[in-house]
Amino acid sequence: NISDLPDSYYVDKDDALKKRTEYSLLEKSVEAEKLQTNMKLGEYLPQAGIGVSCVYMKLDDAKERTIGMVFGTVSVPISGWWGGSHELQERSIKEEIAENNFKNNSELLILQIEKAWQDLSDAYKQYLLSEESKAQAEENYKVNNDSYKNGLINVSDLLEAQALLQQTLDQLTDAKVNYVVKKTTYLQVTGRN
């Protein structure tokens, strides 16, 4: 018998989504595109550098002297501005594509989780129906067996009841296996292998 109810495995689909490796990879792909855009932008921004230097000198008997110096440089990349604007536009489009892929694939993952839950619930209902059918088939076989022993029915009716019982036992076994498979699938798609 299956003693665990499907409700004991239920988790919120949004929580389960965040546990999925695929979701993390989708997040990282969006993050990577944003970083590449920032790196490309950095190539076209002016660069500045500032430095300070200090020298202490004392030669022979002369008076001590300290010389200080402050310097700076500014580099403005002019040659790549035209091409840079197109490259930045292209990077922006790639970033938007990554965000759209993230949204679409996240929705697909949620649909997969919802379907797995529905399949698990349906498999449990099928198991319950199979249990009920088995109980009815057992009762039917018992009645037919008693009737056969009392000479009220012939052997073909008894064999038919026995075949029906075997069929319901096979269906029950299939329902149990299906439930375990659906449970395993649900656990996998909710990030709980």
Side-chain angles (χ1 to χ4, degrees):
N1 284 345
I2 294 175
S3 58
D4 50 346
L5 298 172
D7 291 342
S8 65
Y9 299 107
Y10 181 79
V11 293
D12 181 65
K13 62 187 174 213
D14 294 324
D15 293 338
L17 177 65
K18 292 175 182 154
K19 292 179 182 176
R20 296 280 302 263
T21 305
E22 298 91 335
Y23 182 80
S24 297
L25 292 172
L26 289 170
E27 279 184 322
K28 294 293 181 195
S29 69
V30 171
E31 190 177 315
E33 289 297 333
K34 287 181 179 181
L35 289 173
Q36 287 184 5
T37 300
N38 288 339
M39 287 172 43
K40 188 56 76 177
L41 177 62
E43 291 176 14
Y44 298 107
L45 292 177
Q47 298 175 3
I50 298 174
V52 177
S53 178
C54 182
V55 177
Y56 172 78
M57 293 188 333
K58 177 163 170 70
L59 300 172
D60 296 331
D61 290 335
K63 189 175 175 184
E64 302 170 356
R65 296 181 79 187
T66 303
I67 301 171
M69 183 179 3
V70 176
F71 57 91
T73 62
V74 175
S75 169
V76 180
I78 297 175
S79 62
W81 278 2
W82 173 255
S85 66
H86 291 306
E87 286 182 17
L88 289 173
Q89 236 178 357
E90 184 181 324
R91 290 289 336 136
S92 177
I93 290 170
K94 286 182 179 180
E95 196 175 314
E96 192 174 324
I97 289 170
E99 288 175 3
N100 287 337
N101 285 338
F102 172 75
K103 288 175 189 171
N104 291 340
N105 290 329
S106 294
E107 288 173 7
L108 289 174
L109 290 172
I110 285 179
L111 286 174
Q112 184 185 37
I113 291 168
E114 289 173 342
K115 182 182 182 316
W117 172 251
Q118 187 62 48
D119 290 348
L120 177 62
S121 298
D122 291 345
Y124 187 73
K125 290 173 188 171
Q126 186 61 44
Y127 160 73
L128 293 177
L129 287 173
S130 296
E131 279 284 350
E132 191 176 308
S133 295
K134 181 193 91 156
Q136 290 174 355
E138 286 174 338
E139 182 62 30
N140 181 45
Y141 176 73
K142 183 179 178 269
V143 167
N144 279 306
N145 192 29
D146 290 344
S147 295
Y148 176 73
K149 287 178 184 176
N150 292 324
L152 298 173
I153 62 169
N154 59 25
V155 74
S156 63
D157 291 335
L158 178 62
L159 290 175
E160 187 178 322
Q162 187 176 14
L164 181 62
L165 176 60
Q166 187 58 50
Q167 182 182 4
T168 59
L169 289 172
D170 292 345
Q171 289 172 347
L172 178 61
T173 301
D174 291 344
K176 286 179 181 179
V177 169
N178 188 44
Y179 178 76
V180 171
V181 168
K182 298 302 182 187
K183 177 178 76 171
T184 303
T185 301
Y186 182 70
L187 291 174
Q188 285 176 340
V189 300
T190 55
R192 300 176 289 167
N193 302 11

